[in-house]
Amino acid sequence: MLVLAFWIGFSVVVAIVASAARRNGFVWFIVSVMISPLLAALLLFVTSERGSREQSEGG
């Protein structure tokens, strides 16, 4: 039961970070619950880095 609480809690953190990065927080919450909060956070970080790099290059 404690594992489930941490899983949901970290999924909420991923959703908050996604919202701060101008991503859809609800979608990232669902992705995080389905796969894993750690994997979702890594995926969010990778996609955020790629998006910011494309914006800075003008593409």
Side-chain angles (χ1 to χ4, degrees), residues 18-53:
S19 293
R22 291 191 261 173
R23 306 279 189 214
N24 190 333
F26 179 73
V27 170
W28 280 98
F29 173 77
I30 297 299
V31 168
S32 181
V33 168
M34 295 253 186
I35 59 172
S36 143
L38 180 61
L39 291 176
L42 289 172
L43 185 61
L44 177 63
F45 177 72
V46 168
T47 59
S48 294
E49 285 294 314
R50 187 183 66 195
S52 65
R53 199 172 342 138

